Amino acid sequence: MSDWEESEPNAAVCAPITYNARVFSSSTGRGRARGAYRGQRNNDANWRARGGDSSDNRDNRRNYRQESGNKKVIIIPSNKVGRVIGKGGSKIRDLEYESEAKIKIGDSRGNDTNITLFGTDEAILKVENLINDLMEERKPKEIVTHTNESNVATNEFLKKNSHGEEVIDWDKLNAFYDNQQKERYEKLAPIVKDFYKEDPVVSNMIPAEVTRWRLTNNDIQVRRTFDDKPGLLPVPNPILTFEQAFHNYPEILGEIYKQGFTQPSPIQCQAWPILLRGEDMIGIAQTGTGKTLAFLLPALIHIEGQPTPREKREGPTVLILAPTRELALQIEKEASKYQYRGIKSVCLYGGGDRKEQIKTVTKGVDIVIATPGRLNDLVLARHLNVINFSYIVLDEADRMLDMGFEPQIRKSLFDVRPDRQTVMTSATWPSGVRRLAESYMKDPIQVNVGSLDLAAVHTVTQQIMFVDEEDKEAALFEFIKNMDKNDKIIIFCGKKATATHISTEFCMKGIECQSLHGDRDQTDREAALEEMIDGTVNILVATDVASRGIDIKDLTHVINLDFPRHIEEYVHRVGRTGRAGKTGIALSFVTRNDWAHARDLIKILEEANQEVPDELFSMAERFEAMKLRKERNGGERRGRGGRGRRDSFY
């Protein structure tokens, strides 16, 4: 299980069986219940041996039950447990939500499984009836195009193969599906995407002036991502002030002024004209560059500007997908700062109260901010219908793919309307992100802030300390001992166990700190982050769950106690400090085991005009020499039961 999301296992496919749930409990205690249960099983076996098959016997067994306070144990066939659990546990959560009872799946005894129900008598009765309904036999689904007057299904999707066997005609079936989807989309309410009226000052910017501005603002590059088809509008000029972007939306300007901003960031200057015009956009920029506000303010205008009144829409209008709980909560916090026409948002994430999240969605919201796992859960459970979203954001798309969320994203967005507006942000531009853009975006405009090469923010001083693995902890404590009282630090660890160990050691030494990693409850994670932001503590010990989506404005230091497994994560860790024009320091402990990252680290240090230690060059050369030696020798060869030669760091 990853740090960021709850696992979503697939429920087993249940084979059909012909009897309903049997219920058993005992008012005299658990011991008697188990003994009676074994006796019942023996009676069942004897009954089968006698060849008994009367409906009376089946009914007696099915109805054998006794109440025990606010708890009841029912017994269902083991091969039907999947019906109660559902995909990723979605069905059991729905049953609990609908009945207000609690369900516990118990031990399986061969063909039967115990399920314990908790709650009021009314709740238990309701959930028991719901489970009994699930146990009813399901008729196999038929492939049907239409029914005739006598309601007899036709089989137009079957054809005979070369062996004379009836098989599915996939061409006809796919064509039928496409036609059905087209009819669904045609019934949807129309949407408006273009809300941009270009300011005369922006319109009159000459090409040379635009080029010069983009070059001096982090070398912004703007182009159509894919083919520049005939008939497409040219890329709009950047705006230079908030007023040029939102002169027709004084309420939005008022909200911006409340936040104390003086001028938009480079990506905002170029993104707002694109998004307000209704174009799809890919924003490639490092963290801390203002990407969230770049897509959030146009989303508010998009919501309010639709022809269908908000109260008459069938669901939320805007979907923002984020890779981690922390980033999702950070976006929600940012959204809550801008009050515009009563627009409401909800944050859906694993670890949060699912029942409350569903209740909020049911009451009505305009913006859904979600992690892929929880979104997929609620879409499969039919609490959300993505066909209603007309403005979709995939934030930190590269991170979502790194974390393996692509299947969940594709499942959740399977039904999304084709005329939507789609925004994607990413810190890098790997092939996976390009593939996602090709699937979900129409003629997107790509905005690159800075080079596409991996680079760390230039406001951070990057320092390297070479240590042995066993000396890391002592070096860390020495640093903490000498830190200034106003310093604020994140310490990144490679494992949750390491983070727990370090934070425990700090507490034992009387050093106040907080920890943030996947083994902590969501409430504890939120409290840890809040205490770091408000200054209750100045030290946060974390795993890479904190490398993105954490915005601590006065963070002075990042310490890489363990060097990250991927060099991209190094860049994101470093980017936690030196934000919003401030400076910061990133200190990385490098050991012999990190030599594979030496060459990439050198490139990042050189790009940011940082000092590169001679030992790092030496480390990179030794690693490359080792790789060449392995290639010449055909790689490491190990005999059975023997140990191969291990290359020395030196």
Side-chain angles (χ1 to χ4, degrees):
M1 187 181 294
S2 73
D3 281 349
W4 302 276
E5 281 295 316
E6 295 173 320
S7 64
E8 297 285 352
N10 290 327
V13 177
C14 302
I17 194 163
T18 58
Y19 60 95
N20 280 334
R22 286 185 286 124
V23 181
F24 178 82
S25 65
S26 172
S27 59
T28 56
R30 186 177 300 174
R32 265 188 74 177
R34 288 178 176 169
Y37 173 80
R38 285 194 293 270
Q40 177 70 15
R41 289 294 300 269
N42 291 336
N43 289 338
D44 289 349
N46 294 336
W47 171 80
R48 292 188 186 96
R50 292 194 301 269
D53 192 23
S54 71
S55 59
D56 289 343
N57 281 339
R58 285 199 303 272
D59 289 340
N60 287 338
R61 287 172 28 244
R62 187 179 298 131
N63 296 323
Y64 182 66
R65 65 185 71 185
Q66 273 188 307
E67 298 292 341
S68 177
N70 289 330
K71 179 176 79 170
K72 178 182 285 187
V73 178
I74 67 173
I75 302 168
I76 70 169
S78 294
N79 60 359
K80 290 190 177 182
V81 172
R83 297 188 186 183
V84 178
I85 297 173
K87 286 189 176 181
S90 60
K91 190 63 185 178
I92 197 169
R93 288 192 289 266
D94 284 344
L95 290 169
E96 291 181 333
Y97 177 72
E98 190 172 343
S99 65
E100 297 187 349
K102 290 294 181 184
I103 303 170
K104 180 180 179 183
I105 308 295
D107 296 333
S108 175
R109 295 177 172 84
N111 294 327
D112 296 322
T113 296
N114 286 1
I115 295 185
T116 307
L117 311 177
F118 302 90
T120 64
D121 292 341
E122 183 182 355
I124 289 174
L125 180 61
K126 186 172 183 179
V127 76
E128 180 188 344
N129 290 333
L130 291 171
I131 292 174
N132 278 332
D133 288 343
L134 291 173
M135 296 302 105
E136 293 294 331
E137 289 314 310
R138 301 171 180 174
K139 295 181 180 179
K141 293 182 180 178
E142 296 184 72
I143 301 170
V144 179
T145 56
H146 62 273
T147 57
N148 56 26
E149 291 181 357
S150 60
N151 206 34
V152 178
T154 62
N155 290 317
E156 290 186 10
F157 297 134
L158 297 179
K159 66 178 182 180
K160 289 188 177 181
N161 62 14
S162 57
H163 301 292
E165 301 167 334
E166 280 196 334
V167 295
I168 295 174
D169 188 335
W170 288 107
D171 291 336
K172 281 189 177 181
L173 186 58
N174 287 331
F176 171 74
Y177 171 77
D178 291 341
N179 187 57
Q180 291 288 96
Q181 285 293 83
K182 184 179 178 182
E183 289 180 5
R184 286 183 69 202
Y185 294 143
E186 286 173 350
K187 292 177 183 177
L188 294 173
I191 60 171
V192 176
K193 296 190 286 186
D194 189 355
F195 303 96
Y196 188 51
K197 291 183 180 178
E198 195 170 51
D199 186 277
V201 174
V202 178
S203 301
N204 294 329
M205 292 175 72
I206 61 175
E209 190 179 354
V210 172
T211 301
R212 186 166 57 253
W213 181 89
R214 288 173 179 162
L215 185 64
T216 56
N217 283 270
N218 297 334
D219 189 20
I220 290 179
Q221 301 165 39
V222 190
R223 62 181 178 85
R224 292 279 178 183
T225 305
F226 307 119
D227 296 334
D228 198 349
K229 301 173 185 175
L232 294 176
L233 293 172
V235 173
N237 292 339
I239 55 92
L240 305 179
T241 66
F242 292 119
E243 292 76 13
Q244 289 173 352
F246 302 110
H247 55 274
N248 288 322
Y249 305 98
E251 292 171 74
I252 294 285
L253 279 174
E255 292 299 311
I256 293 172
Y257 296 150
K258 286 179 186 177
Q259 303 306 316
F261 294 125
T262 55
Q263 65 180 45
S265 71
I267 192 170
Q268 291 166 359
C269 289
Q270 189 60 75
W272 282 334
I274 294 170
L275 294 179
L276 288 171
R277 200 171 75 180
E279 301 263 13
D280 287 6
M281 190 196 80
I282 302 168
I284 310 292
Q286 296 299 324
T287 55
T289 53
K291 287 185 290 185
T292 302
L293 208 58
F295 62 70
L296 190 57
L297 295 187
L300 299 179
I301 294 170
H302 178 97
I303 291 167
E304 186 60 22
Q306 298 311 307
T308 304
R310 279 165 35 207
E311 64 273 10
K312 293 184 179 180
R313 296 174 203 170
E314 294 184 7
T317 305
V318 171
L319 170 66
I320 302 172
L321 268 181
T324 69
R325 306 171 191 180
E326 280 69 30
L327 180 53
L329 289 165
Q330 189 78 36
I331 295 169
E332 185 192 36
K333 185 178 180 181
E334 193 71 16
S336 67
K337 295 177 183 177
Y338 299 87
Q339 303 299 317
Y340 183 62
R341 307 284 178 91
I343 287 173
K344 298 176 183 177
S345 64
V346 65
C347 191
L348 310 177
Y349 56 92
D353 188 326
R354 184 176 184 272
K355 185 184 291 187
E356 283 302 313
Q357 291 173 3
I358 292 171
K359 192 178 292 184
T360 304
V361 170
T362 305
K363 286 181 180 177
V365 293
D366 305 291
I367 303 174
V368 169
I369 304 159
T371 54
R374 180 49 58 91
L375 175 71
N376 191 47
D377 168 19
L378 297 190
V379 168
L380 289 176
R382 302 193 178 185
H383 295 297
L384 274 173
N385 189 348
V386 295
I387 204 169
N388 298 314
F389 292 117
S390 55
Y391 187 102
I392 294 177
V393 180
L394 304 178
D395 196 20
E396 302 277 16
D398 52 345
R399 186 62 175 148
M400 285 196 278
L401 296 186
D402 288 344
M403 294 167 65
F405 288 136
E406 185 172 359
Q408 290 166 311
I409 293 170
R410 291 189 178 275
K411 277 196 291 184
S412 298
L413 301 184
F414 183 75
D415 244 358
V416 70
R417 62 188 295 165
D419 57 345
R420 69 198 174 272
Q421 184 175 3
T422 309
V423 188
M424 185 181 293
T425 77
S426 182
T428 55
W429 184 234
S431 58
V433 174
R434 184 182 179 89
R435 185 174 64 246
L436 211 58
E438 288 174 334
S439 299
Y440 293 105
M441 309 189 84
K442 183 179 180 182
D443 304 318
I445 295 174
Q446 186 168 326
V447 179
N448 299 334
V449 180
S451 169
L452 282 179
D453 295 331
L454 201 61
V457 289
H458 289 199
T459 52
V460 177
T461 302
Q462 300 174 60
Q463 300 175 349
I464 308 298
M465 180 182 290
F466 296 92
V467 296
D468 290 330
E469 186 69 37
E470 59 271 18
D471 295 333
K472 275 185 184 179
E473 202 170 310
L476 173 65
F477 287 128
E478 184 65 23
F479 178 90
I480 297 298
K481 178 182 174 182
N482 295 312
M483 67 181 277
D484 189 271
K485 65 177 181 178
N486 295 320
D487 286 345
K488 189 170 279 192
I489 299 171
I490 290 184
I491 301 166
F492 282 105
C493 305
K495 296 178 180 178
K496 293 177 282 188
T498 306
T500 300
H501 168 72
I502 293 297
S503 57
T504 302
E505 287 295 311
F506 278 159
C507 291
M508 292 176 66
K509 293 178 184 294
I511 301 171
E512 290 189 355
C513 72
Q514 264 289 7
S515 64
L516 183 61
H517 54 78
D519 277 350
R520 301 205 72 189
D521 291 338
Q522 184 61 32
T523 52
D524 292 334
R525 290 166 68 163
E526 291 174 23
L529 186 56
E530 192 60 37
E531 287 190 10
M532 190 68 179
I533 291 172
D534 66 21
T536 303
V537 296
N538 281 356
I539 301 172
L540 181 67
V541 185
T543 57
D544 280 325
V545 69
S547 66
R548 302 196 192 196
I550 303 297
D551 188 13
I552 303 171
K553 291 181 173 57
D554 52 351
L555 193 73
T556 59
H557 290 74
V558 165
I559 299 180
N560 290 312
L561 180 66
D562 298 317
F563 201 84
R565 285 171 289 185
H566 304 288
I567 197 66
E568 291 83 2
E569 213 55 56
Y570 171 82
V571 171
H572 290 295
R573 289 181 180 183
V574 168
R576 294 305 95 207
T577 186
R579 298 168 73 87
K582 295 184 179 180
T583 59
I585 295 173
L587 172 62
S588 300
F589 294 153
V590 175
T591 71
R592 300 181 177 193
N593 294 330
D594 301 318
W595 63 339
H597 300 298
R599 183 60 63 191
D600 289 332
L601 182 55
I602 289 169
K603 290 178 184 177
I604 291 171
L605 293 172
E606 288 179 336
E607 193 278 334
N609 299 316
Q610 302 288 307
E611 181 182 350
V612 183
D614 292 339
E615 178 60 22
L616 199 60
F617 284 110
S618 178
M619 182 184 285
E621 290 167 3
R622 287 194 295 270
F623 180 73
E624 286 157 9
M626 179 274 293
K627 286 201 300 183
L628 287 173
R629 190 163 59 251
K630 278 188 177 181
E631 288 172 7
R632 283 197 304 268
N633 297 335
E636 281 186 310
R637 297 178 181 175
R638 295 178 181 233
R640 180 178 294 180
R643 297 181 62 188
R645 176 184 177 275
R646 183 178 180 182
D647 284 281
S648 168
F649 176 75
Y650 294 105

